[in-house]
Amino acid sequence: MGCGASKWSDPGVVRQRGLSSVGEVVVFLPGLRVPRTIDLSQQLGGSSTANLLQALEEYLPALLGLVEEECCMTGLQETSMADPWYEVLSVLHLMAMVCFLQANTLLLPRSYGDGHGPRVSEESRQSTVDLFLKAAGYLDCAVHHVLIHIPPERRRELPVDLAQGNLKALSLQGLGQGVDMQLGLAIENPKATLAVKRRLACEMIKCWKQAAAYYFHGLILDEGETEKSQETAMAALQSSEEFINESKRASEAFHSAPPTSRSPSAFGTTKYLLDMIPKDAKSKFQSYQDLNTQKGALNIGVSKITATPPPLPDFPFALNPEDYELPHSDPLQKGANHG
């Protein structure tokens, strides 16, 4: 990516090799795709990422002016090795990754000098929702409005992080982490009902987190008074515990894989679920044992209940990628090329 033509084999992309550690990672993102003439090896954060995003937004109209001119010259016969739409795709991808990078910076715990220790503020978490939706919007635009200009045979030659499947996965990640932030804020809000929390958790199923959905679903089922509802609640809480343990193992494997990274302190939704799921699952299991013992039923001991987890409610996904349309091409750029 850059003012010069981008080669399909991407020789100008700066890739960091041999890194032993990349610091704390809250938001996963692949490496930034940057011109070889620009050194972004230093960590970006704060206003520098905002400036980079603004520069990319200002660069895109000029780039589209070049795209239009080349399309007129070539008649859109074939995508060349120095493809202008590949350049646009790279810019949109980088804009989305900058948003993820900004969100990662906001979600790292920091000290506020108030004696309460490092934490992630509510304001920071609220800000990341907008960043996640903006990133999803850039990626959604790339999939639906840029990839269509690249012939299918050429799409198969794209770098893996620009492949359609990966662009869609990253867009879904943005939506999922946006819902995650909303759920975390709802958990800390005493006015948020259990039904609201379950709805958000069930929406996250469409992205990744079954643990949260089964946990809140189990709590609601536990409000029922019948023996069947109690058994179903126990099965749901047991499933949530299994999923949270699986999530912990996956997180440990991710952070220990090279290049290693430090797992940040748990906060928000993650901290709440890590604390509450084992406690509530154990409490419910003990209550279930006591109830069966009182009824003279066989003591089920310490073994897990093997009931099938109940089906989860299917709520429509409330969040959507932020609408983003490609800007109009820069007329000054077009005029300069014809001058």
Side-chain angles (χ1 to χ4, degrees):
M1 195 201 79
C3 294
S6 296
K7 300 297 184 183
W8 205 265
S9 59
D10 224 12
V13 172
V14 176
R15 295 189 181 274
Q16 299 296 327
R17 299 291 185 185
L19 292 177
S20 60
S21 177
V22 293
E24 291 180 303
V25 175
V26 182
V27 181
F28 170 77
L29 69 155
L32 299 178
R33 305 176 56 78
V34 299
R36 58 182 159 189
T37 55
I38 296 179
D39 181 13
L40 291 183
S41 59
Q42 299 299 318
Q43 181 177 358
L44 289 172
S47 61
S48 59
T49 52
N51 293 338
L52 175 57
L53 187 59
Q54 181 179 351
L56 290 168
E57 291 174 343
E58 294 174 353
Y59 169 60
L60 200 52
L63 175 59
L64 289 169
L66 295 173
V67 170
E68 287 185 6
E69 180 171 341
E70 178 157 336
C71 288
C72 291
M73 293 173 60
T74 62
L76 288 176
Q77 294 299 313
E78 184 178 352
T79 302
S80 62
M81 292 298 287
D83 184 81
W85 285 110
Y86 168 57
E87 184 87 358
V88 176
L89 192 64
S90 295
V91 171
L92 288 173
H93 178 272
L94 180 54
M95 290 165 69
M97 296 308 99
V98 171
C99 289
F100 281 151
L101 189 59
Q102 287 180 306
N104 189 77
T105 301
L106 288 172
L107 292 176
L108 295 179
R110 65 191 67 189
S111 297
Y112 291 89
D114 54 7
H116 292 290
R119 66 184 186 277
V120 180
S121 70
E122 180 179 334
E123 181 182 357
S124 292
R125 281 178 285 162
Q126 289 175 336
S127 298
T128 61
V129 175
D130 293 334
L131 288 169
F132 287 132
L133 297 184
K134 180 178 286 189
Y138 291 145
L139 295 164
D140 197 57
C141 178
V143 170
H144 295 103
H145 301 291
V146 177
L147 275 178
I148 59 174
H149 295 285
I150 301 176
E153 63 275 11
R154 286 296 189 183
R155 292 182 209 172
R156 290 191 288 269
E157 300 175 13
L158 284 169
V160 64
D161 49 349
L162 294 182
Q164 179 171 313
N166 282 342
L167 294 175
K168 289 183 175 180
L170 287 169
S171 178
L172 194 60
Q173 173 189 329
L175 294 178
Q177 294 202 267
V179 178
D180 185 28
M181 292 300 107
Q182 289 185 325
L183 178 57
L185 293 168
I187 286 171
E188 296 178 5
N189 184 350
K191 296 182 180 180
T193 65
L194 203 56
V196 168
K197 297 170 188 175
R198 182 180 67 169
R199 179 189 177 95
L200 288 169
C202 286
E203 287 183 29
M204 291 172 66
I205 284 286
K206 300 180 186 300
C207 302
W208 54 59
K209 286 193 176 179
Q210 289 175 293
Y214 274 116
Y215 174 66
F216 289 110
H217 190 45
L219 293 184
I220 288 181
L221 292 172
D222 192 35
E223 295 178 344
E225 298 181 354
T226 66
E227 182 176 350
K228 179 63 176 178
S229 67
Q230 296 295 304
E231 291 179 355
T232 307
M234 185 64 249
L237 290 173
Q238 177 182 318
S239 295
S240 71
E241 187 174 26
E242 292 172 352
F243 280 120
I244 202 71
N245 289 333
E246 182 181 345
S247 175
K248 288 166 64 176
R249 290 192 295 270
S251 177
E252 291 170 359
F254 171 80
H255 288 289
S256 62
T260 58
S261 57
R262 295 189 301 274
S263 179
S265 302
F267 68 92
T269 306
T270 301
K271 186 177 188 307
Y272 182 85
L273 295 175
L274 288 173
D275 291 343
M276 298 302 296
I277 286 179
K279 183 175 72 173
D280 284 346
K282 180 179 179 180
S283 175
K284 183 60 185 175
F285 184 73
Q286 185 62 52
S287 298
Y288 188 85
Q289 277 189 309
D290 293 342
L291 179 63
N292 280 274
T293 300
Q294 292 172 5
K295 290 182 177 181
L298 292 175
N299 194 321
I300 59 176
V302 295
S303 63
K304 293 289 187 179
I305 294 173
T306 58
T308 302
L312 292 167
D314 185 15
F315 295 107
F317 207 80
L319 286 183
N320 290 298
E322 180 179 296
D323 289 336
Y324 180 79
E325 296 182 0
L326 291 175
H328 296 294
S329 59
D330 187 348
L332 294 179
Q333 178 67 47
K334 293 168 66 176
N337 290 336
H338 289 291

